[in-house]
Amino acid sequence: MFLEQLLNGLQLGLVYALIALGYTMVYGIIKLINFAHGDVFMVGAYLGVLGYTVWKLPFPVAVVVAMAGAAVLGVTIERLAYRPLRVRNAPRIAALITAIGVSLFLEYFSSLRFVFGPNYRVVDRPFKDVRWQLGPLGISNIQVIVLLTVIALLLLLQFVVYRTKIGKAMRAVSFDMDAARLMGIDVDRVISFTFAIGSALAAAAGILYVMAYPQIYPFMGIMPGLKAFTAAVLGGIGNIPGAVLGALIMGMAEVFTVGYVTSDYRDAVAFSILILVLLVRPAGLLGKAGPEKV
């Protein structure tokens, strides 16, 4: 029982981690809380499901199509909604309100019948759910796929951020945007790339989430998005390892609450942990407190 709950918590936490990375990378670069990110997760999930159920694409191709579509959506949101505010040096509250507006637009536009429709849908999984018993631990092929896919994507992100030229530019822009621009870095291109990679990871998370919990609807991004944002803050927003750590804590807390207490308190416990941690460490578990730039 305990080991199975641990595995379920790890699975859920890793899916949250993929979403949380988008929040933390965007905040690390331009100090924006992109509340539309949970809805990019939703659009990615729809694109993936449509890919292997309606368009009859092989599952890996459907995943790539969904990640590419979400990346394009993320870049479009950045260029149309956030970049004009950044160019005009608008206050942060304007960007925050815009993010909420984009989120609502995506949710209600997706609910239109000629887009995705307003109803819940139970979707077919791309694979049969096969379970193996390893001593006291029961494990399914879906869990194995989720764990291996998320770990592979996290390693790929680490490679991009710490071993490539664009990753070096991302770190330079997050450290000092003006200095990076003076050094010849195309800051706008770096910001667009950050939105693209964060959105692609959110789409992958959406498909994995639907594989684990096979239903889909236009508002499905709200709660996972909020929990992933909470995980990013819990770990120290702007810090990539912190986002992963915070997501794992959130996933474990949620699953163990459901398993050993009651599902009624799953959200309350998860958000209570955030409040307790921030009372002790306002910058998050791995974040570093510093003065705000003005």
Side-chain angles (χ1 to χ4, degrees):
M1 177 70 173
F2 175 80
L3 290 178
E4 288 191 0
Q5 296 296 349
L6 190 68
L7 185 61
N8 291 334
L10 182 64
Q11 171 189 284
L12 184 60
L14 287 175
V15 172
Y16 285 158
L18 285 185
I19 314 172
L21 287 171
Y23 282 108
T24 210
M25 286 193 299
V26 167
Y27 185 85
I29 296 280
I30 57 174
K31 300 294 180 285
L32 168 69
I33 298 172
N34 180 20
F35 278 116
H37 193 61
D39 301 293
V40 175
F41 158 88
M42 173 270 294
V43 172
Y46 267 101
L47 291 178
V49 170
L50 290 174
Y52 69 77
T53 59
V54 178
W55 304 329
K56 303 300 181 186
L57 299 174
F59 180 66
V61 177
V63 173
V64 172
V65 168
M67 293 177 72
V72 171
L73 176 62
V75 171
T76 303
I77 291 171
E78 190 276 325
R79 292 206 172 186
L80 296 183
Y82 302 144
R83 185 178 296 185
L85 298 176
R86 195 170 65 251
V87 169
R88 294 173 187 171
N89 203 24
R92 286 185 190 176
I93 188 67
L96 187 66
I97 293 171
T98 301
I100 295 172
V102 172
S103 172
L104 293 172
F105 170 78
L106 288 176
E107 289 163 9
Y108 286 96
F109 182 75
S110 299
S111 299
L112 297 176
R113 295 194 181 279
F114 68 89
V115 187
F116 299 140
N119 300 323
Y120 281 77
R121 293 186 199 173
V122 176
V123 298
D124 295 328
R125 285 173 164 148
F127 310 102
K128 285 187 177 179
D129 188 7
V130 179
R131 295 191 70 82
W132 302 286
Q133 196 66 35
L134 305 175
L137 178 64
I139 184 170
S140 72
N141 60 336
I142 300 293
Q143 288 174 319
V144 172
I145 291 169
V146 170
L147 297 179
L148 293 180
T149 303
V150 174
I151 291 171
L153 289 174
L154 291 178
L155 292 175
L156 179 62
L157 179 65
Q158 284 291 104
F159 176 79
V160 169
V161 172
Y162 292 103
R163 292 288 186 270
T164 65
K165 190 174 179 181
I166 188 69
K168 186 182 290 185
M170 289 169 65
R171 286 183 283 134
V173 172
S174 69
F175 186 75
D176 192 321
M177 186 180 295
D178 294 329
R181 189 175 277 113
L182 290 173
M183 295 295 290
I185 294 174
D186 187 341
V187 171
D188 288 334
R189 189 170 73 90
V190 170
I191 292 172
S192 293
F193 180 80
T194 303
F195 270 84
I197 198 169
S199 300
L201 291 176
I207 298 170
L208 296 175
Y209 191 84
V210 170
M211 284 175 58
Y213 313 100
Q215 63 177 6
I216 195 166
Y217 54 102
F219 295 88
M220 63 176 284
I222 295 177
M223 192 52 74
L226 280 176
K227 288 181 179 173
F229 167 66
T230 303
V233 175
L234 177 62
I237 194 161
N239 184 304
I240 289 178
V244 177
L245 175 63
L248 291 176
I249 293 173
M250 291 289 291
M252 295 287 179
E254 189 173 330
V255 168
F256 276 98
T257 301
V258 173
Y260 291 102
V261 188
T262 170
S263 60
D264 294 340
Y265 296 151
R266 60 192 297 178
D267 298 334
V269 169
F271 293 120
S272 296
I273 290 175
L274 171 71
I275 294 170
L276 290 174
V277 170
L278 292 185
L279 285 174
V280 180
R281 285 187 61 85
L285 293 173
L286 300 186
K288 294 179 181 177
E292 287 283 325
K293 294 177 182 177
V294 295

